[in-house]
Every structure is written in structure tokens, then in C-alpha cells.
Amino acid sequence: MNKLSFVGSVKEFFNSLDDDPRFYTNDSDKIIEEYKHIVFERINPKLKDFFKDIPDVPLEIRKMSYDGPGGGYSSASENSPGVFSINLFRPMENPRFDFMALSLHEASPGHHLQHSYAMKASLPDYRRHTPISFYDVPFWYPFYSAYSEGWALYSEYLGEEMGLYNDDYELMGRYSAEMLRACRLVVDTGLHYFNWDKEKAIEYMLNYTAYSREATEIEINRYITWPGQACAYKLGEIKIRDLRTEAENALGSKFNIKDFHSVILTNGAMPMSVLESLIREWINMKKVEQASSGVQTRTSLTFMLGALLVHILSFL
């Protein structure tokens, strides 16, 4: 906001953009085309620099058939593509500066790439194709929200490293989404532990995020009926970023971002405690490999020096 010479609160900043034609359109088809451009032409070409053995699983981008969250992802199967759906019941509530962060979250390297790796991995069928229903909670097979949503939030962050946020406005879209997830921690706890009523939760979200009252009420209704799930996003992201820092510190120059991501994604959804154990096992394995490589290098060097010495002595 300082770089853009704006004086005021975060809420006032977003309000100041409400009538800016650079960021809003009432044309739903145009919005869908913009999302397709972001996913297929801006994001996908850069995935190879951060991921290896990327599965070839098709993705479609469509208008959402119901009035729910801003966007969502429906898992691919062997016979059907993954679907990134956009809520366009109120097109003017979809600012362009939000498109990149949402695409990173729902498409790639977020949920679509996450599911694609699991689907193609050497895992039992019930783990490769975990049945998910957001509407049968809590009577459903566990699908580990902290892993799934934590990865999607990590993907939004990874977009910065990938150089995908083109300007400060797209970055503000990312930060706006970050603020929403932080507010979720407060609101979910307020509703289910501190006995907040629905209106207090709505007012809190309106004060600290850029979302409309209609969108905020949809969010709050979701938190009311699904205790704890809203907290999973941020907690999962924090754990994944902490594990990456741990791996980077332990492996130093030998840390490989593609290998790190592969360990997370090719093992499918799991509790975060299991992911922590898995990453630490991988770190220890890489250390053993490094030590073994060092011994082999020293042995090879000794052999070469010995051969050179024999060659020199043969001329004396």
C-alpha cells in the first residue's frame, strides 16, 4: 500500500478499488477466459522448475453450479478431468487481483496437482481415490484437511518464488487471502469456544478482510456447521513451511526443492504428524547418501592420485 502511495486502512484500500474497471467486469465468460490464461499460460509452464515427474491429468475451468465459496476443485478420476470451478453468481465480486492466488490454490500447484500426484502414485486405491464430500461431515472417511488445505496455502506462497504475481495488486490479492485464513483462526475459535454469535463473526470478518457481506455470510455459515476445519488451512501451511525450513537447514546446498515436493505429494494425504515423520526420514536418508557420496569421492580421488604417482614414478 505504501508503494502504491495509499494512505488508509487495508479495508479502505480494497474499497477504493471497487469501481476500478481494471479489476472488475460483469462478463462471466471473460472471467473464465482470464482464469484459463492464468492457469494454462502463466502457471503451468513454470511448474517444471519446482516439480518433477508431473502427472498428465487434464483440468477444466468452469462456472460453479451453486452459490458457495469463491472457487472450488472437484477431483479428477481415470475417466474424467479435474474441475476448477469459479463462483460467478455475482461477477462484480471477483476482482482480477484475486485470480492468481485462487488459481494457485485450486488448480496448480494446489489441489489439482496435489490430487494428480496421489492419483498416479503407487498407493492403495482407497488412498489414491479418497472419496470426499463436504456435505456429509462428520460421517465420512477422513481426508486430512490440514494436509490438503495446508498444501493449497503453501502453493499460494510458492507463487511468489515462482515469480507469478505480476504486480502489487496481485500480491495484495494474495495477502487478502492470507488475511482471510488468519481471520478464520479467530472466528472459528470465537464461534465454537467463546460463544460468539453469527453476527459478531460476520462483523469481525468484514473489519479485517476485503470480502463482501454476502460472501462473508457464506463463509461464516460454513464455519458454524464444520467446527475446526477453517483452522486446518493455516496450521497445515505453517507445518509444511516449517518442515521445508528444517530440510533446507539440514541439507544445505544439497536440498532439492523438486525432491522435497515429491516426498509430500507422491505419498498422498496423511495426518501432519505422519508427514513430519516422513520428511525427517527423507532428510536422514539424504544425509546418508551425502556421507556415502563423500566417501566414494575421497576413495576415487585417492585412487586417481595413486595412479598419477605410479605414472610419474615410471618416468624416473
Side-chain angles (χ1 to χ4, degrees), residues 223-252:
Y223 309 156
I224 288 172
T225 56
W226 201 355
Q229 196 269 345
C231 297
Y233 290 70
K234 205 67 190 158
L235 296 176
E237 181 210 10
I238 289 170
K239 174 56 70 175
I240 291 172
R241 292 184 66 173
D242 284 350
L243 288 172
R244 175 173 165 180
T245 299
E246 183 177 336
E248 289 172 333
N249 291 339
L251 300 176

Side-chain angles (χ1 to χ4, degrees), residues 170-184:
E170 285 195 334
L171 275 173
M172 280 299 289
R174 158 166 156 65
Y175 299 147
S176 174
E178 282 282 290
M179 287 185 281
L180 170 66
R181 278 51 172 270
C183 286
R184 281 175 172 173

Side-chain angles (χ1 to χ4, degrees), residues 33-316:
E33 288 306 311
E34 179 63 20
Y35 271 106
K36 289 179 179 179
H37 171 75
I38 288 172
V39 172
F40 300 126
E41 297 181 38
R42 290 177 60 185
I43 296 176
N44 284 0
K46 294 195 175 184
L47 293 176
K48 64 183 184 299
D49 296 329
F50 291 81
F51 299 90
K52 65 181 185 179
D53 304 321
I54 299 172
D56 184 18
V57 177
L59 174 71
E60 292 185 2
I61 301 176
R62 307 175 186 167
K63 299 175 185 178
M64 189 176 285
S65 61
Y66 60 95
D67 189 3
Y73 176 71
S74 300
S75 301
S77 70
E78 299 297 343
N79 302 313
S80 61
V83 177
F84 173 21
S85 54
I86 315 296
N87 187 340
L88 293 172
F89 281 80
R90 293 173 296 277
M92 292 299 288
E93 291 184 10
N94 290 265
R96 283 192 177 89
F97 50 75
D98 282 349
F99 291 4
M100 177 55 76
L102 185 60
S103 297
L104 290 163
H105 184 109
E106 302 291 354
S108 294
H111 289 318
H112 178 65
L113 192 65
Q114 178 185 52
H115 175 74
S116 298
Y117 271 102
M119 190 175 80
K120 298 295 184 180
S122 299
L123 297 170
D125 283 350
Y126 79 96
R127 295 196 61 218
R128 291 192 303 116
H129 302 287
T130 304
I132 294 178
S133 172
F134 293 111
Y135 307 104
D136 295 326
V137 175
F139 305 107
W140 203 258
Y141 190 86
F143 51 90
Y144 309 118
S145 286
Y147 172 91
S148 298
E149 301 299 351
W151 174 262
L153 256 63
Y154 171 77
S155 297
E156 294 179 28
Y157 154 76
L158 195 63
E160 292 198 46
E161 290 189 24
M162 297 170 74
L164 288 168
Y165 296 101
N166 278 348
D167 54 36
D168 290 321
Y169 292 103
E170 285 195 334
L171 275 173
M172 280 299 289
R174 158 166 156 65
Y175 299 147
S176 174
E178 282 282 290
M179 287 185 281
L180 170 66
R181 278 51 172 270
C183 286
R184 281 175 172 173
L185 300 174
V186 179
V187 170
D188 188 284
T189 310
L191 288 166
H192 298 294
Y193 187 81
F194 292 106
N195 298 317
W196 284 19
D197 60 26
K198 178 178 176 179
E199 188 58 33
K200 182 173 182 178
I202 291 174
E203 288 301 320
Y204 184 89
M205 294 280 281
L206 289 175
N207 283 338
Y208 292 104
T209 72
Y211 293 82
S212 68
R213 172 169 282 274
E214 291 84 359
T216 299
E217 187 168 2
I218 289 172
E219 287 285 321
I220 298 301
N221 286 339
R222 169 182 162 190
Y223 309 156
I224 288 172
T225 56
W226 201 355
Q229 196 269 345
C231 297
Y233 290 70
K234 205 67 190 158
L235 296 176
E237 181 210 10
I238 289 170
K239 174 56 70 175
I240 291 172
R241 292 184 66 173
D242 284 350
L243 288 172
R244 175 173 165 180
T245 299
E246 183 177 336
E248 289 172 333
N249 291 339
L251 300 176
S253 62
K254 299 298 183 181
F255 174 81
N256 185 301
I257 189 64
K258 295 181 181 180
D259 289 343
F260 175 76
H261 290 158
S262 183
V263 173
I264 295 175
L265 295 173
T266 58
N267 286 283
M270 67 191 84
M272 301 311 286
S273 59
V274 176
L275 179 62
E276 182 177 69
S277 298
L278 192 67
I279 292 296
R280 287 176 179 168
E281 287 177 8
W282 173 72
I283 291 172
N284 291 333
M285 181 190 71
K286 298 301 288 185
K287 284 182 175 180
V288 170
E289 289 178 1
Q290 287 179 30
S292 176
S293 175
V295 170
Q296 291 175 3
T297 300
R298 288 192 296 273
T299 301
S300 177
L301 182 60
T302 301
F303 177 80
M304 290 171 61
L305 289 173
L308 179 61
L309 181 59
V310 170
H311 184 69
I312 293 172
L313 289 175
S314 68
F315 287 96
L316 297 178

